[in-house]
């Protein structure tokens, strides 16, 4: 498969197994009715082994920082004994927002793999480009649109569910 970034095609096939793992996490939220969108994130080490995995958990934990990406980064730091996650790759089903994008930069993650875009809150390309801001001390390579249609389907099912419809 090929993703695109700014109209430039980027090969994504090598990241598809990793994205399938993130999709598995997104589909298995502990409390699907808790109102957290189905987002999964996984951190892989330089050798390709899974280090940490998480899903959004803000509602159940009452923690405003419990985004899948933040939780996975925290776990990876604990496993590796360092907040520097140099050489690791973060895979997430949905484009991270500003807080998670900032955490990627601070953790020195060199590569981010994204399933689909978040046109409302995305801080990688949709609204901002935090991870490649030249004013910062670290830049993140972005591999976009890995299994995009599958990631879109999971989010669309959540957004289309009766519990998420609001009356006018």
């Amino acid at each position: 498969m090929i993703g695109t970034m700014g109209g430039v095609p980027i090969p994504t096939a090598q990241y598809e197994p990793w994205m399938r793992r993130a999709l598995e996490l997104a589909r298995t939220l502990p409390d699907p009715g808790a109102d957290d969108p189905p987002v999964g994130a996984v951190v892989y080490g330089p050798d390709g082994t899974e280090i940490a995995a998480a899903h959004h958990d803000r509602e159940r934990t009452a923690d405003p920082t419990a985004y899948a990406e933040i939780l996975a980064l925290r776990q990876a730091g604990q496993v590796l004994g360092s907040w520097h996650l140099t050489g690791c790759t973060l895979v997430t089903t949905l484009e991270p927002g500003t807080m998670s994008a900032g955490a990627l930069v601070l953790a020195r993650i060199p590569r981010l793999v994204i399933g689909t875009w978040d046109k409302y809150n995305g801080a990688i390309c949709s609204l901002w480009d935090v991870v490649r801001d030249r004013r910062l001390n670290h830049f993140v390579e972005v591999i976009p649109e890995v299994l995009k249609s599958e990631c879109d389907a999971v989010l669309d099912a959540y957004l289309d569910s009766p519990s998420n419809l609001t009356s006018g």
Side-chain angles (χ1 to χ4, degrees):
M1 299 298 269
I2 300 289
T4 60
M5 185 74 135
V8 177
I10 298 173
T12 63
Q14 73 187 72
Y15 300 105
E16 289 178 10
W18 291 0
M19 185 60 71
R20 288 190 199 293
R21 172 68 174 124
L23 278 163
E24 176 186 323
L25 292 163
R27 290 182 181 118
T28 57
L29 291 172
D31 183 3
D35 221 15
D36 263 320
V39 176
V42 186
V43 176
Y44 290 93
D47 63 354
T49 59
E50 182 178 316
I51 296 172
H55 52 72
H56 274 19
D57 206 11
R58 297 168 301 165
E59 295 296 330
R60 189 183 64 81
T61 61
D63 179 354
T65 68
Y67 285 87
E69 301 87 358
I70 299 287
L71 296 173
L73 291 172
R74 283 183 189 152
Q75 289 174 20
Q78 291 171 349
V79 168
L80 297 174
S82 175
W83 60 272
H84 279 130
L85 302 180
T86 308
C88 294
T89 298
L90 180 88
V91 178
T92 183
T93 56
L94 181 66
E95 177 185 12
T98 53
M99 182 173 53
S100 296
L104 288 165
V105 171
L106 294 172
R108 310 301 195 267
I109 290 279
R111 184 174 305 105
L112 169 65
V113 178
I114 299 171
T116 194
W117 304 111
D118 183 345
K119 64 183 178 181
Y120 301 107
N121 301 300
I124 305 304
C125 192
S126 294
L127 298 178
W128 300 280
D129 193 354
V130 173
V131 299
R132 289 172 297 205
D133 188 317
R134 297 200 185 283
R135 296 169 291 182
L136 300 177
N137 64 344
H138 178 73
F139 308 102
V140 179
E141 174 189 15
V142 177
I143 309 297
E145 298 181 347
V146 176
L147 300 179
K148 182 180 185 315
S149 61
E150 291 180 42
C151 293
D152 283 341
V154 169
L155 287 164
D156 288 347
Y158 162 79
L159 293 171
D160 292 342
S161 71
S163 64
N164 290 306
L165 298 176
T166 58
S167 58

